[in-house]
Amino acid sequence: MALALAIPLVVLLLLLGWPWFIGIVVAIVVAAVLVFPTTKQPAANVLSAINGRPPNEMAHARLVNLVEGLSLSTGVVEPEVIVLDDAARNAMTVADPSGVTLVITQGLVEALDRMQLEGVVAELLVRAKDGDAELGTEVASLVDRCSSGVLKPFSSFVVGRSTALFDEDRDLLADQAAVGVTRYPPALASAFATLRSGSLQPSCATPSNAHLWLVPHPTALVPSHPLDLRIDVLEEI
């Protein structure tokens, strides 16, 4: 089956004017993915590196209430929430057809007031609604699979092609969509300023999942705008 799909793909790419060697590489990658499929859904694959826990109804009541309320506001089916015992201040949205999971560090929860946290949760949810989180999860899972085994020789090619799928202003667009939900841009700008004053890198951040975080590491696969610029843009709204 893999060969039956790979050969027509090579022919199609050649007809489209792609160099023959790129066509062959693409075909090999496709065949390898089909022959060696992952046993996990993309979200499960990404979350397997995350050692978190469900929120405590008492200690995280504010967070739970905001997720419930904003899920209704954004039209996103209420997600699972995982809290990381990590002092870093960051969060990410993991999504695939099976559902949405918000991963939030304890450091972020403790650092933000209610309005700031509302802005952050709104952004996590709009990233699920607009498809950015699902695309990001798919890419993270694929890159992770390419880090070893039969796909490793093609990892650079896969990463390059995958990251080209993202809008270069994805973070700015998500910021604007989030304040469109809360109707209060200063809260998210203030939240970013607070996050900036502490550590932003959770211990479970990896090269493959770095682009999923609200504030990605500067070396993430998918480039992100500097946090200072994101704050400036929000302050101008």
Side-chain angles (χ1 to χ4, degrees):
M1 177 181 177
L3 187 60
L5 289 175
I7 292 176
L9 180 58
V10 171
V11 174
L12 175 60
L13 293 178
L14 292 176
L15 290 174
L16 291 175
W18 286 44
W20 64 268
F21 58 89
I22 292 183
I24 292 176
V25 168
V26 171
I28 292 173
V29 171
V30 170
V33 170
L34 292 173
V35 173
F36 302 98
T38 180
T39 57
K40 299 177 180 178
Q41 293 292 333
N45 189 41
V46 172
L47 292 171
S48 64
I50 307 296
N51 185 22
R53 56 186 170 82
N56 181 284
E57 292 188 5
M58 295 291 290
H60 302 109
R62 181 180 61 177
L63 172 62
V64 171
N65 290 338
L66 285 172
V67 171
E68 290 177 353
L70 289 169
S71 295
L72 293 173
S73 300
T74 57
V76 175
V77 176
E78 189 172 335
E80 180 183 356
V81 178
I82 294 177
V83 177
L84 301 179
D85 289 318
D86 196 306
R89 302 171 180 182
N90 219 326
M92 69 175 174
T93 307
V94 179
D96 67 11
S98 67
V100 177
T101 301
L102 306 186
V103 180
I104 302 173
T105 66
Q106 182 64 26
L108 182 146
V109 174
E110 293 177 354
L112 303 184
D113 63 30
R114 182 181 177 82
M115 295 188 71
Q116 293 172 327
L117 186 59
E118 180 182 40
V120 166
V121 172
E123 172 139 352
L124 297 177
L125 290 172
V126 299
R127 288 183 179 227
K129 184 176 182 179
D130 66 13
D132 178 83
E134 186 166 343
L135 174 60
T137 302
E138 291 277 2
V139 169
S141 180
L142 180 59
V143 170
D144 185 58
R145 292 174 63 193
C146 287
S147 64
S148 61
V150 67
L151 295 177
K152 189 172 183 179
F154 311 106
S155 59
S156 296
F157 176 82
V158 172
V159 169
R161 289 293 175 182
S162 298
T163 55
L165 298 172
F166 293 89
D167 191 303
E168 62 181 10
D169 292 326
R170 61 189 286 261
D171 48 3
L172 299 179
L173 294 172
D175 295 345
Q176 293 172 33
V179 300
V181 173
T182 63
R183 307 292 182 183
Y184 192 56
L188 186 57
S190 174
F192 284 157
T194 300
L195 299 185
R196 181 180 57 187
S197 66
S199 171
L200 290 168
Q201 298 307 312
S203 58
C204 61
T206 65
S208 62
N209 71 31
H211 62 280
L212 288 172
W213 293 93
L214 180 65
V215 185
H217 190 276
T219 62
L221 299 174
V222 182
S224 176
H225 291 90
L227 196 53
D228 288 345
L229 175 61
R230 294 170 68 180
I231 293 171
D232 289 343
V233 171
L234 287 170
E235 290 178 342
E236 292 177 2
I237 296 177

